């Protein structure tokens, strides 16, 4: 399959350690041959020639040497295989992380199980590939090399036994292929069940507060039991096929060894072969089939990883909806842009019949606060993602002053941006570390200035550790308002010329909202541009320019005071009716 070739290409990136694994395995096989020869010689001399311990002592030391060499080869082979798997897993995780970052949040939103599938691939799936790279792949090479090496020794010594071995050896790969086909199907089912269970448990943990609040936690136990039972059944199907294949391979290997034993024994009784030679062949016959049996065992150990690899490479091959910057040279924008223009921009998500945005044209000006409003699904987030270059327009273009946005280097453009989402995410670490995500080189004075701008400085001052105050994953130790203000402080800290704010005052009381609005105004006075996706009408009322989206189209735009009729006027009248 194609994904098998891609796994092989990944393995070739660790050529040295992979070659060491195979070379040590082959050296161990050579040691087995000489060890078997040494044992047969010792037995023949002791039982047939009646030699004493003193006479065979050199042979015993030689046997000990081959045993030590075989053990060392096995240890080095296992160590090199582990190093190979580790390097490849690190490379795959880095490729997956880079690809997810390049695809952006639009790709995550399009996944049926959200981020749970990607988490399963990055953690469990890539870990399961360790068996493929450290066990199956080296054993596959050894299964081809070791029997051939032994045949080169056996055929000159006894052509008949070499012929029997050569004819029976292909039976093991044949039965492995027959059973392995069934194994691949049930393993894919198991991985699908595991992915769904991961997604379900992630949703359960994230919604645990809601379940407890609504008193549905107990009844939710039944759904947990159902999905767990499905995974158990899928796992038992894999185990049944695994045990069946192990039985078949062992049976074929045992029968093939028995055939060699019978034909060698009959010729020994007839006096057509020497005892030492016959004993050497009997010792070597099980070792001849051993690498082939191990391929089957290693295949089932790696089958889960192979199933995960299909999904992994499906992600890595996904085309980015926001292509890389044009290869044509373009001046990197250093100064703050004065105008950002959308010119007849449209965007349609893949596999969706209707356009999310259609023929959008407007202009953002420096020092101006522009508010974007509209019902859910009207295209507000899509428009913001176009500016962030998570997406690229399917029609039309976005211009930054006189340059096309698509021609600007992606990293240079994103350095111009500060983005605050409606649900900002904070990482586990100190408050200073979370702030410096926006500006790694920020001084302590700059951190305090940003905190004052976001009106969070008094709370930080009251903490014993000040800027070193620890924050839990997702801001677990903070209130919703504190999380939002910390995200705003991060935006104020970033040396950006364009602020994109998705309802920045959603979790803040009206008094703090007025203070933060003044802080935003101060930033605009320095020549920055601000686009606010607004849901609260007081924010809209203070905007310099208003854009109203509906069904992916601009139905109104202008200064709030000038929009006396239409959608905005009706929204404002309804809001005033609710507050009075």
């Amino acid at each position: 399959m194609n994904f098998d070739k891609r796994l092989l290409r990944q393995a070739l990136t660790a050529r040295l350690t992979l070659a060491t694994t195979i070379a040590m395995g082959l050296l161990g096989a050579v040691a087995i041959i000489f060890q078997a020869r040494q044992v047969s010689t010792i037995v023949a001399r002791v039982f047939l020639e009646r030699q004493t311990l003193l006479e065979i002592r050199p042979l015993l030391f030689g046997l000990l040497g081959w045993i030590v060499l075989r053990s060392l080869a096995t240890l080095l082979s296992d160590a090199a295989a582990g190093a190979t798997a580790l390097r490849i897993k690190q490379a795959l995780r880095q490729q997956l992380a880079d690809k997810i970052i390049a695809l952006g949040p639009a790709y995550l939103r399009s996944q049926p199980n959200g981020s749970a599938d990607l988490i399963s691939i990055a953690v469990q799936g890539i870990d399961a590939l360790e068996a493929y790279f450290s066990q199956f792949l080296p054993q596959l090479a050894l299964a081809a090399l070791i029997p051939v090496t032994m045949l080169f020794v056996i055929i000159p010594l006894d052509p008949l036994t070499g012929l029997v071995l050569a004819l029976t050896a292909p039976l093991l790969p044949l039965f492995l292929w027959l059973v392995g086909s069934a194994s691949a199907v049930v393993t894919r089912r198991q991985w699908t069940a595991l992915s769904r269970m991961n997604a379900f448990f992630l949703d359960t943990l994230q919604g645990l507060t809601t379940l407890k609040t609504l008193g549905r936690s107990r009844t939710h136990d039944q759904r947990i039991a159902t999905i767990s039972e499905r995974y158990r059944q899928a796992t038992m199907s894999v185990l049944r096929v695994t045990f069946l294949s192990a039985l078949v391979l062992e049976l074929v290997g045992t029968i093939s060894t028995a055939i060699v034993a019978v034909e060698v024994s009959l010729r020994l009784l007839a006096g057509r072969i020497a005892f030492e030679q016959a004993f050497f062949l009997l010792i070597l016959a099980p070792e001849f089939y051993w690498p082939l049996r191990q391929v089957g065992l290693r295949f089932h150990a790696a089958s889960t990883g192979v199933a995960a690899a299909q999904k992994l490479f499906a992600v890595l091959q996904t085309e980015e909806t926001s292509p890389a910057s044009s290869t044509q040279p373009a001046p990197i924008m250093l100064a703050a842009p004065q105008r950002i223009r959308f010119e007849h921009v449209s965007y349609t998500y893949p596999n969706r019949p209707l356009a999310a945005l259609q023929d959008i044209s407007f202009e953002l000006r420096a020092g101006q606060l522009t508010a974007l409003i509209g019902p859910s699904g009207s295209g507000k987030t899509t428009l913001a993602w176009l500016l962030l270059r998570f997406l690229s327009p399917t029609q039309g273009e976005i211009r930054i002053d006189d340059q096309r946005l698509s021609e600007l280097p992606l990293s240079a453009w994103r350095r111009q941006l500060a983005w605050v989402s409606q649900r900002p995410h904070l990482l586990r670490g100190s408050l200073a570390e979370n702030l410096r995500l926006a500006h790694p080189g920020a001084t302590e004075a700059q951190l305090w200035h940003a905190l004052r701008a976001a009106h969070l400085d008094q709370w930080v001052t009251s903490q014993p550790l000040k800027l070193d105050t620890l924050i839990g994953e997702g801001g677990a130790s903070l209130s919703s308002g504190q999380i939002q203000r910390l995200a705003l402080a991060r935006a104020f800290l970033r040396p950006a010329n364009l602020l994109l704010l998705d309802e920045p005052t959603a979790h803040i009381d009206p008094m703090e909202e007025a203070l933060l609005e003044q802080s935003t105004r101060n930033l605009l006075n320095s020549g920055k541009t601000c686009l606010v996706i607004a849901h609260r009408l007081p924010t809209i009322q203070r905007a310099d320019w208003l854009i109203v989206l509906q069904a992916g189209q601009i139905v109104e735009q202008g200064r709030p005071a000038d929009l006396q009729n239409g959608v905005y006027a009706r929204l404002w009248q309804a809001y005033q009716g609710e507050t009075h």
Side-chain angles (χ1 to χ4, degrees), residues 463-509:
Q463 300 302 304
L465 298 178
K466 306 293 190 295
L467 291 173
D468 294 325
T469 300
L470 292 179
I471 296 174
E473 180 70 25
S477 58
L478 305 179
S479 67
S480 298
Q482 288 170 335
I483 292 173
Q484 198 73 26
R485 280 183 286 171
L486 186 54
L488 280 167
R490 200 156 57 185
F492 294 154
L493 180 66
R494 186 170 175 81
N497 294 312
L498 173 61
L499 301 179
L500 295 176
L501 309 177
D502 187 355
E503 191 54 72
T505 58
H507 306 290
I508 296 174
D509 60 55

Side-chain angles (χ1 to χ4, degrees), residues 227-446:
I227 197 167
S228 299
E229 176 63 19
R230 289 175 186 169
Y231 179 65
R232 186 193 69 82
Q233 292 175 355
T235 302
M236 293 305 296
S237 298
V238 173
L239 291 176
R240 280 195 294 269
V241 175
T242 300
F243 291 143
L244 173 63
S245 64
L247 173 63
V248 170
L249 292 174
E250 289 296 328
L251 183 62
V252 173
T254 302
I255 292 175
S256 301
T257 304
I259 292 173
V260 174
V262 169
E263 63 91 7
V264 169
S265 300
L266 291 175
R267 286 191 294 140
L268 179 63
L269 291 173
R272 296 179 181 178
I273 187 172
F275 172 80
E276 183 178 338
Q277 182 180 342
F279 193 49
F280 171 68
L281 293 173
L282 287 175
I283 294 174
L284 214 54
E287 301 291 350
F288 177 86
Y289 296 108
W290 178 83
L292 298 170
R293 295 201 305 267
Q294 289 300 306
V295 169
L297 297 176
R298 301 292 190 251
F299 171 77
H300 291 293
S303 57
T304 302
V306 173
Q310 291 179 294
K311 291 185 175 291
L312 169 64
F313 287 110
V315 176
L316 295 179
Q317 285 189 320
T318 303
E319 294 184 4
E320 298 172 18
T321 53
S322 180
S325 303
S326 172
T327 55
Q328 298 295 326
I332 297 177
M333 180 178 53
L334 298 176
Q338 297 302 305
R339 292 184 178 183
I340 299 174
R341 298 195 306 278
F342 278 63
E343 298 180 352
H344 305 288
V345 171
S346 298
Y347 183 79
T348 303
Y349 285 97
N351 304 320
R352 294 189 186 180
L354 299 177
L357 292 175
Q358 188 174 355
D359 197 25
I360 298 294
S361 296
F362 67 90
E363 182 175 276
L364 301 176
R365 295 184 179 182
Q368 177 178 280
L369 174 62
T370 302
L372 183 66
I373 67 169
S376 179
S378 61
K380 301 187 299 296
T381 300
T382 302
L383 192 149
W385 283 359
L386 287 171
L387 266 179
L388 291 164
R389 287 191 65 183
F390 292 145
L391 304 172
S392 292
T394 50
Q395 292 181 3
E397 63 184 27
I398 303 172
R399 286 189 171 273
I400 311 301
D401 291 331
D402 295 326
Q403 301 176 53
R404 293 182 179 180
L405 177 58
S406 58
E407 293 176 345
L408 289 171
L410 185 59
S411 59
W413 169 242
R414 286 187 177 160
R415 282 196 297 268
Q416 303 285 327
L417 304 175
W419 160 249
V420 178
S421 66
Q422 192 174 358
R423 295 179 179 85
H425 189 78
L426 302 178
L427 302 178
R428 180 179 177 82
S430 69
L431 189 145
E433 288 171 337
N434 274 275
L435 284 173
R436 286 197 173 100
L437 288 174
H439 187 10
T443 64
E444 187 171 324
Q446 290 174 316

Side-chain angles (χ1 to χ4, degrees), residues 130 142 401:
E130 181 173 0
L142 292 174
D401 291 331

Side-chain angles (χ1 to χ4, degrees), residues 188-209:
R188 282 196 295 270
R189 290 175 184 168
Q190 183 202 27
W191 177 255
T192 301
L194 177 63
S195 298
R196 290 174 178 171
M197 186 172 68
N198 286 341
F200 178 77
F201 283 161
L202 179 62
D203 289 342
T204 298
L205 290 174
Q206 290 175 340
L208 192 58
T209 303

